[in-house]
Amino acid sequence: MSLVVVGSLAYDAVETPHGKVDRMLGGACTYISLSASYFTPVSIVGVVGEDFAAEDVKLLASRNIDLEGMERVPGRTFFWAGVYSSDMNDRTTLRTDLNVFATFEPKLPLSYRERPYLFLGNIQPGLQRSVRAQMNGVKLIGGDTMNYWISDYRQPLLDTIREWDFLLVNDSEARQLSGVSNLKKAAERIMEMGPSTVIVKRGEYGALLFFRDRHGQVRWFTAPGYLLDVVFDPTGAGDCFAGGFMGYLCSRNIDLSDPGADHRELHRAVIYGSVMGSFCCEQFGVDRFRSLTRAEIDARFQEFQDATAF
Amino acid sequence: MSLVVVGSLAYDAVETPHGKVDRMLGGACTYISLSASYFTPVSIVGVVGEDFAAEDVKLLASRNIDLEGMERVPGRTFFWAGVYSSDMNDRTTLRTDLNVFATFEPKLPLSYRERPYLFLGNIQPGLQRSVRAQMNGVKLIGGDTMNYWISDYRQPLLDTIREWDFLLVNDSEARQLSGVSNLKKAAERIMEMGPSTVIVKRGEYGALLFFRDRHGQVRWFTAPGYLLDVVFDPTGAGDCFAGGFMGYLCSRNIDLSDPGADHRELHRAVIYGSVMGSFCCEQFGVDRFRSLTRAEIDARFQEFQDATAF
């Protein structure tokens, strides 16, 4: 089934203990769609400036990503610069130039409006909601957000996620949104806000999934983080997780509102999320996606099986 | 098969966000042996003072723990006081009175010397080694240690763990001992020091297991931390993990030096470790073990299955 992804397209400058890149393709929409493209056809909605390079368009197109919704406007593409701490668990933003992203108003091409799956990357909640309103009969909708929207745009955010099937956040965002420290209770509180499914990303520790089974009981599932020999650059890993998770759900035509759905499929979606996040860290920026194959993805999925089965 | 456990028997004063206890039964040997007693017959080696209460002896005896090696000497039992941070990820030691533990020299009763399984709780490495030397033909030996021995008793520690089949440490200890930050590489470095199996505890995030398969390839397995509704008191959780892990290995008569051993048994041992660590946190000190049943343990083992299978 076909997936629409909305979010930022950007250029990043990144420094990690393994090196430094002054300008490389980035942005949530980029990472999500590249990752999801291994599972399902993807169409993107985003904005770029006149400086967006032909070779970057070519990379996205090489993954069969539908670029009809990628608007090109006068000005420069969103630019972000950051530096990671030595253990790479923290990063400091050095510069954020919103550029053309500052006035981004997502407009869905007509051809996108009947698509069944929608993933809303981290943008202003009101814009996320406006995209939802442009879709007809969407079957499964989810997305992520960030600390700034949770603190300063709380009501618009609540109005937005009320319509979502799932919310993807990291542990500190889950605590901030729910006001609860215990992650299980935090997820239950978030489920009362609308989403029937909550995924909590925990960086190198993997991810937690919360959902209700057919008896209305809250269940949890946990995917480990993959143990990489070297983490080159964690930029985009959370977005690649999102792409793997959502991409797999689309590929299996999953309907989260179906109480009889096989929850093992949801589990597998989370594992594919972890798999894609792990590949992302192996090289700088999106570089790993220049060579990654579906066979490598499935081999790593099997490694997760071996590392968790007992 | 029968297990010998060596380590501290203590009284603890503990404060967590959920309450405060001025004096309660504690010590690594206590937690390890209570936990392991659900899986296998346990004999302990340790020292207590004249103040060690009859009701605490009774609790240990009620779990069929062999107390022949529990020496009672003039003076007071080891006392430790600590307070946990609000998220319980850090704790501050307020007081450590070694008391009779200061001159502890473990002496194995004759009846213990032919036992096949030995777990060495965190005590001075030279003492751990002296216990090993008192055993005849031990089949499987492992234990844990701490930052102080790693920094200030490095050579005696290396001489000690060279004879071990497994080492159980937390993530910061693994990094400190190996000098390597990446946990997979740290574990490989530790495996070169002697132990064929390394278990890295990661607190609320669970544990990692590293071992070599029959082809000499390093393999890893990961157990999640259980998601408790409330963590009352994490004191002893790591020791209960050790007891569940070692207890299960004994109960299945596992020989880690057998290259044909079924590594799924090792996986299950780590899961039982996580199960026992989780129960420990549900009440203050050893209180959970006053009511815990094997049926509850196996039900939680099944919950881990549901939370990790895909």
Side-chain angles (χ1 to χ4, degrees), chain A residues 263-280:
Chain A
H263 55 74
R264 291 283 171 106
E265 287 284 37
L266 254 180
H267 295 188
R268 288 176 205 123
V270 175
I271 295 291
Y272 274 114
S274 267
V275 165
M276 299 309 288
S278 74
F279 279 118
C280 180

Side-chain angles (χ1 to χ4, degrees), chain B residues 3-278:
Chain B
L3 168 65
V4 175
V5 175
V6 185
S8 59
L9 296 151
Y11 284 112
D12 293 339
V14 168
E15 186 172 352
T16 84
H18 299 285
K20 192 170 181 292
V21 174
D22 288 336
R23 184 179 169 88
M24 62 185 192
L25 178 60
C29 182
T30 304
Y31 284 106
I32 298 164
S33 57
L34 283 171
S35 174
S37 72
Y38 286 86
F39 301 90
T40 199
V42 178
S43 306
I44 65 171
V45 179
V47 65
V48 298
E50 293 152 322
D51 58 339
F52 199 72
E55 61 176 9
D56 294 325
V57 174
K58 208 169 141 191
L59 173 67
L60 296 170
S62 76
R63 296 286 327 144
N64 292 316
I65 294 167
D66 180 347
L67 303 176
E68 193 189 341
M70 187 177 86
E71 207 182 342
R72 189 185 283 267
V73 300
R76 294 180 67 78
T77 302
F78 181 17
F79 179 79
W80 174 83
V83 57
Y84 286 85
S85 63
S86 58
D87 66 0
M88 277 184 278
N89 284 328
D90 289 302
R91 74 177 184 194
T92 307
T93 291
L94 301 175
R95 193 168 150 185
T96 305
D97 299 338
L98 289 176
N99 297 333
V100 299
F101 196 61
T103 52
F104 177 45
E105 287 195 19
K107 284 175 284 295
L108 261 67
L110 277 176
S111 64
Y112 285 19
R113 301 193 178 199
E114 309 292 330
R115 301 275 162 82
Y117 288 86
L118 173 63
F119 188 89
L120 295 157
N122 167 33
I123 54 174
Q124 204 249 85
L127 296 182
Q128 291 178 318
R129 200 171 180 207
S130 80
V131 175
R132 166 76 180 77
Q134 294 173 56
M135 302 278 285
N136 300 316
V138 66
K139 176 174 166 177
L140 194 157
I141 176 174
D144 63 11
T145 189
M146 69 184 290
N147 51 1
Y148 174 60
W149 311 124
I150 297 172
S151 61
D152 288 21
Y153 284 68
R154 189 171 175 86
Q155 195 53 50
L157 179 64
L158 293 177
D159 294 341
T160 299
I161 66 172
R162 189 175 301 126
E163 302 172 332
W164 292 7
D165 295 297
F166 71 85
L167 175 70
L168 189 70
V169 281
N170 66 32
D171 40 8
S172 69
E173 290 158 356
R175 290 181 170 121
Q176 188 191 359
L177 177 57
S178 65
V180 178
S181 169
N182 180 293
L183 285 180
K184 196 173 159 198
K185 290 184 178 170
E188 289 176 16
R189 193 73 63 91
I190 293 170
M191 290 162 92
E192 292 164 9
M193 298 173 184
S196 66
T197 301
V198 175
I199 304 99
V200 180
K201 295 176 288 180
R202 301 206 280 183
E204 63 169 315
Y205 300 110
L208 290 166
L209 165 75
F210 298 91
F211 61 100
R212 281 184 201 282
D213 64 16
R214 64 192 70 187
H215 310 295
Q217 199 75 28
V218 174
R219 299 275 295 268
W220 60 281
F221 171 78
T222 167
Y226 184 77
L227 294 188
L228 286 166
D229 285 329
V230 182
V231 175
F232 256 85
D233 174 16
T235 309
D239 294 319
C240 290
F241 178 98
F245 174 76
M246 187 66 166
Y248 182 77
L249 291 180
C250 297
S251 74
R252 304 294 292 170
N253 199 11
I254 303 295
D255 181 353
L256 291 179
S257 63
D258 172 9
D262 176 6
H263 55 72
R264 290 284 171 106
E265 286 285 36
L266 253 179
H267 296 188
R268 287 176 205 122
V270 175
I271 295 292
Y272 274 114
S274 267
V275 165
M276 299 309 288
S278 74

